[in-house]
C-alpha cells in the first residue's frame, strides 16, 4: 500500500472555528503560566521500560530543583508500582511544602477511590480526573451519547468531592480533562465542563483546573488557539477556573500550539522536559520556558545547568536527547558554516557584556544555561576562516590578521577535505604549528644580536642551513628592516601585526609577518616568544622558508 493520490478521499481537513473577532493574534505572552510536569506519569507510561522507583525519585527531585511546583507523579490506580511510589513520596517526606503532587484517574468509581487511598496524608494534592468526550470515542469506544458522557464526568466529580471531604487534612485541588478536547464539539466541551463546575462549585479563592488536551493534534496551532479562546469566552465561572493546556506533538507543533494557547487566554501548561511522551511526545516544557526567557520574560524555572538536567532525564528515561533539540542538543549552539562562524565571531567581539544580546545566529547566550562557548564554533569541510579564527582565539589566544585568516583557512580546508571529518581546536592548532611555527627549513634561526644607536638598528643573526652555520648582518631603521637588509634574498614586507598572548609573567608575544618573494604570491609567517623582537624574527623566517619552499615546488 502506498500514499494515496487523493488523500481527501480518506482524510478530512479540520474545520476552522467561527470566531471572527478573535483576540489572540494581537497578543504576546506577558505572564508566566502555572507549570505542571507530567514526566513521571504521561512521560513514564510512554517509555519502553518504565522507570523503577529509584529513577522516578531521582527525576522527581530534579523537577523540584528546577522549580516545578505542580508535578503529576503517577496513575496510582493503574499499578501497584505507581501506588507505592506515591506512598513513598508522602511517607518519606520527599515533597516540599510549596510543591503539589498531582495524580491521574479515569472517571470510574473504583479507580477514584484507589487514587484517594494513594494520596492519604499528603499536604497538598491535585486529583485529576478525565473521560473522553470526542464523537469518535462516544460512538466507537464507549457507545454513549452526549448525556451518557456528561453523566460519567458528573458522577466522577461528585465522588471526588465526597472523598475529599473525608480527608480535610489535605489541601485539595480538583482537575477535570475532557479528553480529546481538540476533536470535541466546542459547545459540548463547555457543556460537560460546566456540569462538572456545578458539582465542584469553585470560587476565585479555590479554583479548579480545566485541562484542555490536544490528546492528538488534529489541526494547525492557530485553530487550537481559537478553540482555547472560544472556550475561555463561554465557560461559566471563568474567574474560578485555571484553563490548562496539555498538547501533544503529533503534527510537530506542540510548542506552537501551547504558545498560541497562552495568548488565547490559558493559565497553565502541562508537559514534559525535552518533550518525552506518548507517540511523538508531549509539549517540551524546556522549549516553551526558554522561548519566554529569550523574549525577556523569566519563566520561573531554573535551567542554569541545562546539561545536568538533560543527563538526569536521559538516564531516567533511557532515551537520548536529539543533538538538534532546541536549547539543549549538543549541536544547537554550533556553527559549521563559514559565513555563520564569521558572523558569530564578530558578534562575540562586539557584544556588550551588560547590554542586549545581539550575537548573530544565537538566540540565547549559551552561558545563561550553563553551556560553554567551546561548542559554539566547530570546523569541518563547510567551515571558513571565521570559525578557525574563533577557535584559535578562544583556545590559544592567537588572533590571526585578516589576510592570514584567508590563507590559513585554505590549509585547514585541504585537511578537512582529505579527512572528511570535523577538526578540533587542538588539530587546527597542530596544523598552524606544522605549517608556520615549524617552518624552519631551509633557514633556521639559531640566535640573534641587536644593537641600536642613533636611530639605526644593527642585527647579527646566526642561521643553520643544511647543516652549515651562516652569519648574516644587516642595518636598518628598525630591527625588522635591519634583518631584511641582511638576508641573502630580496623580499618585500607586505604587512606586520603583533599582540600579546596571556598576561603577567607568563605573557608571550605573537608576531605575524607577510612577505613577498620575487613578486610572487604574498605569504605569512608566525613567531611566538617571550621577547617581541625574537617573535618578529621567527615570524620573518617562517614566512621566508614557506616562500622559498613554494618557489622551489613551483620550479620543479
Amino acid at each position: 500500500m502506498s500514499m494515496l493520490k487523493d488523500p481527501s478521499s480518506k482524510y478530512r481537513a479540520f474545520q476552522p472555528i467561527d470566531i471572527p473577532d478573535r483576540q489572540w493574534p494581537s497578543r504576546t505572552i506577558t505572564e508566566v503560566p502555572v507549570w505542571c510536569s507530567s514526566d513521571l506519569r504521561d512521560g513514564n507510561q510512554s517509555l519502553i521500560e518504565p522507570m523503577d522507583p529509584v529513577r522516578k525519585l531521582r527525576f522527581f527531585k530534579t523537577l523540584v530543583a528546577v522549580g516545578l511546583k505542580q508535578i503529576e507523579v503517577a496513575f496510582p490506580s493503574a499499578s501497584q508500582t505507581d501506588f507505592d511510589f506515591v506512598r513513598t513520596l508522602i511517607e518519606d517526606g520527599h515533597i516540599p511544602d510549596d510543591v503539589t503532587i498531582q495524580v491521574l484517574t479515569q472517571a470510574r468509581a473504583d479507580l477514584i477511590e484507589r487514587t484517594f487511598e494513594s494520596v492519604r496524608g499528603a499536604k497538598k494534592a491535585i486529583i485529576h480526573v478525565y473521560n473522553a468526550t470526542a464523537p469518535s470515542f462516544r460512538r466507537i469506544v464507549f457507545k454513549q451519547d452526549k448525556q451518557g458522557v456528561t453523566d460519567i464526568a458528573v458522577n466522577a466529580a461528585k465522588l471526588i468531592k465526597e472523598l475529599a471531604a473525608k480527608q480535610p487534612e489535605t489541601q485539595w485541588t480538583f482537575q477535570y480533562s475532557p479528553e480529546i478536547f481538540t476533536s470535541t464539539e466546542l459547545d459540548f466541551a463547555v457543556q460537560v465542563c460546566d456540569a462538572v463546575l456545578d458539582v465542584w462549585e469553585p470560587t476565585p479563592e479555590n479554583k479548579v483546573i480545566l485541562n484542555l488536551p490536544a490528546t492528538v493534534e488534529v489541526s494547525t496551532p492557530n485553530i487550537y488557539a481559537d478553540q482555547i479562546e472560544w472556550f475561555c469566552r463561554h465557560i461559566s465561572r471563568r474567574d474560578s477556573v485555571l484553563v490548562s493546556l496539555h498538547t501533544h506533538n503529533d503534527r510537530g507543533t506542540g510548542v506552537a500550539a501551547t504558545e498560541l494557547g497562552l495568548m488565547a487566554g490559558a493559565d497553565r501548561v502541562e508537559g514534559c522536559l525535552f518533550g518525552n511522551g506518548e507517540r511523538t511526545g508531549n509539549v517540551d516544557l524546556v522549549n516553551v520556558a526558554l522561548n519566554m526567557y529569550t523574549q525577556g520574560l523569566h519563566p520561573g524555572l531554573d535551567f542554569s545547568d541545562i546539561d545536568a538536567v538533560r543527563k538526569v532525564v536521559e538516564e531516567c528515561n533511557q532515551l537520548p536527547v536529539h543533538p538538534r533539540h532546541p536549547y539543549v542538543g549538543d549541536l544547537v549552539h554550533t556553527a559549521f558554516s563559514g559565513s555563520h562562524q564569521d558572523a558569530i565571531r564578530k558578534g562575540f567581539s562586539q557584544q556588550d557584556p551588560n547590554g542586549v544580546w545581539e550575537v548573530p545566529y544565537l538566540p540565547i547566550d549559551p552561558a545563561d544555561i550553563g553551556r560553554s562557548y567551546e561548542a559554539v564554533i566547530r570546523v569541518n569541510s563547510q567551515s571558513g576562516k571565521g570559525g578557525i579564527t574563533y577557535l584559535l582565539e578562544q583556545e590559544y589566544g592567537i588572533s590571526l590578521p585578516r589576510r592570514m585568516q584567508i590563507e590559513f583557512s585554505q590549509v585547514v580546508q585541504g585537511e578537512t577535505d582529505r579527512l572528511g571529518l570535523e577538526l578540533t581546536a587542538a588539530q587546527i592548532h597542530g596544523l598552524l604549528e606544522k605549517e608556520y611555527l615549524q617552518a624552519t627549513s631551509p633557514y633556521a634561526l639559531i640566535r640573534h644580536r641587536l644593537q641600536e644607536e642613533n636611530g639605526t638598528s644593527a642585527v647579527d643573526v646566526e642561521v643553520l642551513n643544511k647543516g652549515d652555520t651562516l652569519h648574516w648582518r644587516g642595518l636598518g631603521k628598525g630591527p625588522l628592516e635591519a634583518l631584511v637588509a641582511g638576508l641573502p634574498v630580496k623580499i618585500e614586507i607586505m604587512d606586520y601585526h603583533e599582540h600579546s598572548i596571556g598576561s603577567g609573567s607568563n605573557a608571550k608575544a605573537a608576531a605575524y609577518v607577510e612577505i613577498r618573494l620575487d613578486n610572487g604570491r604574498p605569504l605569512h609567517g608566525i613567531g611566538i616568544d617571550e621577547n617581541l623582537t625574537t617573535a618578529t624574527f621567527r615570524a620573518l623566517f617562517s614566512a621566508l622558508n614557506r616562500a622559498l619552499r613554494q618557489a622551489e615546488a613551483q620550479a620543479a
Side-chain angles (χ1 to χ4, degrees), residues 26 29 161 168 216 245 265 308 341 365 459 472 506 543:
S26 61
I29 299 173
K161 186 175 182 179
V216 178
L245 308 176
Q341 293 174 340
D365 184 350
V459 173
W472 299 339
N506 295 321

Side-chain angles (χ1 to χ4, degrees), residues 23-25 27-31 33 181-182 210 212 214 217 220-233 238 242-247 253-270 283 288 292:
Q23 300 299 306
W24 65 261
R27 295 174 182 162
T28 57
I29 299 173
T30 58
E31 295 184 8
F181 165 78
T182 43
L210 293 179
L212 307 178
E217 281 198 305
T220 49
N222 62 298
I223 291 181
Y224 183 63
D226 280 348
Q227 291 173 319
I228 299 302
E229 182 168 334
W230 196 97
F231 184 92
C232 289
R233 289 187 185 189
R238 180 64 183 93
L242 289 175
V243 173
S244 177
L245 308 176
H246 182 112
T247 58
T253 59
V255 169
T258 296
E259 292 181 328
L260 298 190
L262 289 172
M263 295 177 197
D267 311 294
R268 182 177 183 267
V269 172
E270 290 188 351
V283 69
V288 178
M292 291 181 188

Side-chain angles (χ1 to χ4, degrees), residues 40 156 230 284 453:
L40 301 180
W230 196 97
D284 178 359
E453 187 174 348

Side-chain angles (χ1 to χ4, degrees), residues 174-187:
F174 301 152
Q175 176 172 330
Y176 172 68
S177 290
E179 196 193 8
I180 324 290
F181 165 78
T182 43
S183 297
T184 301
E185 307 93 324
L186 280 175
D187 57 349

